[in-house]
Amino acid sequence: ARVTKAAAASGCRCIFGYGSLMWKVGFPYEHHFPCSIEGPFARRFWMRSADHRGTSEFPGRVATLVQLPDEDDNGEGGVSRIPGVAYVVPVSELGAVLASLDYRERHGYTRDVCTVIARDGSRSEAFCYYYARPQLSDSDDVLQGSAMVWGESLEQTAAVIAKACGPSGSNLEYLQQAVACVRSLGARDEYLDSLLALSEQLADTGDRKDNGDVGSSQWQDR
């Protein structure tokens, strides 16, 4: 990951998790707490997954934190709050944990220092990994070589999630786990709720079509 100057100089020990890190933590921590991250971000299932929740022939979609532009005419952008989990890492393990996460998120991510808000309203700093929005100067080659599917519609994402499956399991199972984790925090994410409802509907439709209940033309790969 690209590390900002603020992150490089920060002494914070907190790491914000918004995807699988909410339920599958691969590093030691002293304690964790539910919180929301505040900033110009949105959680979107715009990251292709060809090694866990999909294949190279049919990549799935997993969660990523994307940087939003300033609010536009459609109301997108601005500052929002994304519910997740913050983990406080022991000082003795912090360097190794960050090095591991920086490597894991090496394909286009940025590590920065952000503000997280706990349930009691207290605010603290945490490291977060997000995907910066494309710049006007980015070439088509850069964008085409990215694992991101910028601006993919809810319907397009759901159609992929309903069908994709990889070594770590089905893509729908991943989405269901993400929604369950957010709800267990006493929070809701409108985007996740809508995506889950549509994905489950399409998966159910696909199952019935596979069983011969209805025609299959609508479920051909695109």
Side-chain angles (χ1 to χ4, degrees):
R2 184 182 72 87
V3 181
T4 66
K5 291 182 179 179
S10 175
C12 87
R13 298 189 289 125
C14 200
I15 296 172
F16 179 72
Y18 55 83
S20 61
L21 206 59
M22 290 190 292
W23 69 88
K24 185 178 180 181
V25 187
F27 55 80
Y29 60 91
E30 293 176 349
H31 65 274
H32 66 287
F33 58 93
C35 62
S36 295
I37 190 171
E38 185 175 70
F41 304 113
R43 177 168 32 211
R44 294 290 182 264
F45 271 59
W46 288 350
M47 177 63 71
R48 294 187 183 96
S49 176
D51 53 353
H52 288 288
R53 299 293 175 167
T55 64
S56 56
E57 292 78 19
F58 195 90
R61 299 288 187 271
V62 293
T64 185
L65 197 66
V66 297
Q67 183 185 43
L68 295 175
D70 295 333
E71 188 167 332
D72 57 24
D73 294 337
N74 297 318
E76 293 289 336
V79 175
S80 61
R81 290 188 180 184
I82 309 297
V85 180
Y87 299 91
V88 180
V89 180
V91 174
S92 60
E93 303 285 348
L94 185 60
V97 168
L98 290 177
S100 176
L101 289 174
D102 286 348
Y103 180 77
R104 168 181 157 176
E105 310 295 6
R106 63 192 181 277
H107 298 300
Y109 279 90
T110 296
R111 170 160 61 93
D112 204 352
V113 179
C114 303
T115 300
V116 294
I117 305 170
R119 281 178 173 173
D120 63 4
S122 61
R123 294 170 177 255
S124 57
E125 287 189 342
F127 290 120
C128 69
Y129 289 84
Y130 67 87
Y131 215 101
R133 65 183 184 274
Q135 302 297 315
L136 294 176
S137 59
D138 288 342
S139 67
D140 289 340
D141 289 341
V142 169
L143 297 179
Q144 290 174 3
S146 169
M148 288 287 287
V149 283
W150 286 100
E152 186 173 66
S153 70
L154 193 75
E155 293 76 15
Q156 290 173 317
T157 304
V160 172
I161 291 174
K163 298 176 65 178
C165 189
S168 296
S170 76
N171 207 167
L172 181 58
E173 178 186 47
Y174 174 97
L175 173 58
Q176 290 169 333
Q177 185 70 66
V179 172
C181 281
V182 170
R183 291 177 180 176
S184 73
L185 302 175
R188 301 299 288 260
D189 185 310
E190 183 177 347
Y191 169 82
L192 290 185
D193 288 342
S194 298
L195 183 60
L196 177 61
L198 185 54
S199 298
E200 289 182 333
Q201 178 185 354
L202 291 174
D204 179 64
T205 302
D207 288 341
R208 288 189 283 108
K209 288 179 178 180
D210 289 341
N211 290 330
D213 293 338
V214 290
S216 61
S217 61
Q218 192 175 346
W219 263 86
Q220 293 176 354
D221 290 345
R222 297 193 178 112

